[in-house]
Amino acid sequence: MKDFSTKKNLILLRGLPGAGKSAIAHLLSEKGKHPIFSIDDYFTDSNGDYRFQFDKNHLAYSHCEQRTATAMQEDAEIIFVHNTFVYDWEMEPYFKLSAKHGYTLFVLTVEKHHTKENIHEVSEEQLNKMVEKYKVKLK
């Protein structure tokens, strides 16, 4: 059996808003032992208040990627990134970072079937649009 304990791993958690990506990342991080990043971090202040600003979304993506790269440079054993990752281009930088820093990359899709609620107040109409664009590639 292959020994995964000595490998460095990047785990991307993808899913629609409200799917539970953040909750799972925090559960798997062993009480904060492993770093967790998201574009939401950029929009969350020190009090935990979330204020999304669409015109700064590109900065949030860069911020998340940079924090992930820094954790890799520091040889973090496991890194979690939880974003919607609706489009392939959103994951591409993480594929490149993983290859550059010798990380094994896992992409996990998180689904939540019991409610349509989400902490970001994304409307059902917007969620439905995201569902139409959302693709799962098994190969």
Side-chain angles (χ1 to χ4, degrees):
M1 182 166 186
K2 193 171 185 177
D3 179 16
F4 290 98
S5 62
T6 59
K7 291 215 174 233
K8 298 183 292 184
N9 299 288
L10 174 62
I11 301 171
L12 303 182
L13 298 167
R14 67 188 299 250
L16 297 175
K21 301 174 299 294
S22 302
I24 289 178
H26 287 277
L27 283 170
L28 297 176
S29 74
E30 298 180 44
K31 298 184 180 183
K33 175 182 173 185
H34 306 293
I36 303 168
F37 305 118
S38 171
I39 62 170
D40 290 344
D41 299 341
Y42 186 84
F43 300 109
T44 305
D45 67 20
S46 58
N47 295 323
D49 294 325
Y50 177 82
R51 289 188 178 81
F52 179 74
Q53 296 171 295
F54 182 77
D55 62 327
K56 295 189 177 181
N57 209 28
H58 66 287
L59 297 173
Y61 278 97
S62 295
H63 183 251
C64 187
E65 290 165 24
Q66 183 56 51
R67 292 177 72 207
T68 302
T70 298
M72 288 179 168
Q73 290 164 357
E74 295 171 353
D75 287 326
E77 178 184 358
I78 302 171
I79 302 168
F80 295 95
V81 179
H82 60 97
N83 291 324
T84 56
F85 293 121
V86 173
Y87 301 104
D88 289 341
W89 66 262
E90 295 171 308
M91 290 186 282
E92 188 64 32
Y94 300 97
F95 297 158
K96 291 176 181 175
L97 283 172
S98 294
K100 178 179 178 182
H101 295 281
Y103 275 73
T104 300
L105 175 69
F106 296 93
V107 179
L108 305 177
T109 300
V110 180
E111 295 182 22
K112 181 175 167 183
H113 295 276
H114 51 86
T115 70
K116 292 184 179 184
E117 297 173 4
N118 63 84
I119 63 171
H120 303 301
E121 299 179 7
V122 176
S123 70
E124 186 171 350
E125 179 183 351
Q126 185 62 32
L127 280 172
N128 288 335
K129 287 179 184 177
M130 292 175 81
V131 167
E132 290 174 20
K133 297 174 189 172
Y134 198 87
K135 296 178 183 176
V136 175
K137 293 184 178 182
L138 298 178
K139 268 185 136 184

